[in-house]
Amino acid sequence: AGRAGAGAGLPPYHRRVGMVQELLRMVRQGRREEAGTLLQHLRQDLGMESTSLDDVLYRYASFRNLVDPITHDLIISLARYIHCPKPEADVLGAMEKLCRQLTYHLSPHSQCRRHRGLAKRKPQACLKAVLAGNPPDNTVDLSGIPLTSRDLERVTSYLQRCGEQVDSVELGFTGLTDDMVLQLLPALSTLPRLTTLALNGNRLTRALLRDLTDTLKDPSKFPNVTWIDLGNNVDIFSLPQPFLLSLRKRSPKQGHLPTILELGEGPGTGEEAREGTVGQDAGGSPVSLAKDHKGKAAVSQT
């Protein structure tokens, strides 16, 4: 029998976004203690229960292998505002902004589909439009389109036909299970120019991560991939060293993988390094930063 992964029910992002919205409602009502408890549940749902509250609040821990450093950073900032509020700061405004950022990051948001006027079409019409013609900007963006096993046959045929042009494949928030990704794996792993593969926001499990790690051990598979986004799935919370090392071997000149720097790494040390990837915007609110696969700073939606 095949592995369906967490095939039944809705993908976990539905539950997580609901928790963020409920947390914001509690904060607005002044129920800070209850909000702190709910934040703890959200941390556990995102695989952060192994980090102590001190680590979360003061960022003394090392989180090099995080699968989703942006979400982790936003959770850290929320914990600081809930447990260590500054009297002079606009705590409510800052937390509302952080919750908006978390909701955006944990929800489907295909920029490509919106720009191409596909956002209001039915899923099958969207799929047909995306798979028509050559991939724009060398990107196959199917994010947010619910896919079935039959749809994957069409996607596979398209990748085989246009594979020489594909640099990026976006499959986030498409309802994929472990078995569905395995169905696509032969076509995806042989794309000669593919650099980034997004599988976030689905129903994938650590069993698939093991399969991907084994696949990456073969240098002929995913020959140019620099990053595979597995965030916001069922129980994939950290990335094994063999997975990261395999990516590093494919891009030895690349300076940054999208993970938070450990203490003592990068241009700063001490407090600067401990502050990791959170900066301040003009209004003094935390801005979540992560290094994207090209080494540039990527700022989550405000």
Side-chain angles (χ1 to χ4, degrees):
R3 296 173 317 174
L10 294 172
Y13 79 84
H14 288 273
R15 177 179 66 251
R16 291 163 184 165
V17 168
M19 293 172 75
V20 173
Q21 293 171 344
E22 176 64 13
L23 186 148
L24 179 57
R25 188 174 69 87
M26 289 177 174
V27 169
R28 286 171 173 165
Q29 295 174 350
R31 297 155 59 192
R32 189 175 298 274
E33 185 174 342
E34 293 175 67
T37 300
L38 182 58
L39 181 61
Q40 181 180 5
H41 293 323
L42 179 60
R43 285 175 51 218
Q44 292 170 345
D45 197 27
L46 290 165
M48 295 171 60
E49 71 273 15
S50 62
T51 57
S52 71
L53 184 58
D54 283 344
D55 289 338
V56 169
L57 292 178
Y58 300 109
R59 204 187 302 264
Y60 291 141
S62 171
F63 302 117
R64 181 172 179 79
N65 297 341
L66 286 176
V67 71
D68 187 356
I70 293 177
T71 291
H72 199 287
D73 241 11
L74 292 171
I75 293 289
I76 288 173
S77 297
L78 272 176
R80 282 177 165 173
Y81 277 112
I82 288 177
H83 296 285
C84 305
K86 296 180 180 179
E88 70 278 7
D90 178 12
V91 174
L92 180 58
M95 292 192 66
E96 286 179 339
K97 181 176 181 179
L98 286 167
C99 287
R100 286 198 306 271
Q101 291 175 319
L102 258 180
T103 298
Y104 176 86
H105 186 61
L106 294 175
S107 305
H109 50 269
S110 171
Q111 298 283 356
C112 178
R113 287 178 61 211
R114 282 205 297 269
H115 292 165
R116 296 176 62 197
L118 301 178
K120 295 183 179 180
R121 294 193 190 181
K122 293 182 179 180
Q124 286 302 311
C126 289
L127 180 62
K128 184 177 180 180
V130 173
L131 300 184
N134 295 326
D137 301 321
N138 301 320
T139 296
V140 180
D141 186 356
L142 298 171
S143 57
I145 302 175
L147 298 176
T148 65
S149 293
R150 187 172 181 179
D151 293 332
L152 297 187
E153 295 176 5
R154 298 171 61 188
V155 174
T156 297
S157 297
Y158 180 79
L159 293 176
Q160 291 171 341
R161 186 171 70 252
C162 301
E164 294 287 338
Q165 307 170 52
V166 177
D167 293 340
S168 176
V169 176
E170 302 282 340
L171 290 166
F173 304 98
T174 53
L176 293 178
T177 62
D178 290 2
D179 278 347
M180 294 172 76
V181 174
L182 292 177
Q183 183 179 339
L184 280 174
L185 200 55
L188 290 170
S189 64
T190 53
L191 294 174
R193 292 179 46 182
L194 183 69
T195 57
T196 58
L197 172 62
L199 297 171
N200 56 304
N202 287 301
R203 293 176 286 179
L204 309 181
T205 72
R206 282 176 287 190
L208 178 74
L209 178 58
R210 288 192 291 270
D211 288 326
L212 288 173
T213 302
D214 288 341
T215 300
L216 287 170
K217 291 177 182 177
D218 182 349
S220 69
K221 303 293 178 62
F222 293 110
N224 286 301
V225 160
T226 59
W227 189 243
I228 300 176
D229 185 354
L230 291 162
N232 200 13
N233 276 289
V234 176
D235 61 356
I236 303 175
F237 305 126
S238 62
L239 300 172
Q241 283 298 317
F243 181 95
L244 293 172
L245 289 173
S246 293
L247 293 180
R248 183 73 72 185
K249 288 177 182 178
R250 285 162 169 77
S251 53
K253 295 182 180 180
Q254 180 172 296
H256 300 282
L257 289 175
T259 51
I260 294 177
L261 295 177
E262 290 184 302
L263 295 185
E265 290 190 344
T269 57
E271 186 63 29
E272 182 181 351
R274 278 199 297 273
E275 285 304 307
T277 57
V278 168
Q280 296 285 328
D281 67 5
S285 299
V287 177
S288 178
L289 301 177
K291 292 292 184 181
D292 68 8
H293 65 277
K294 295 180 181 177
K296 297 180 291 185
V299 183
S300 62
Q301 179 75 9
T302 58

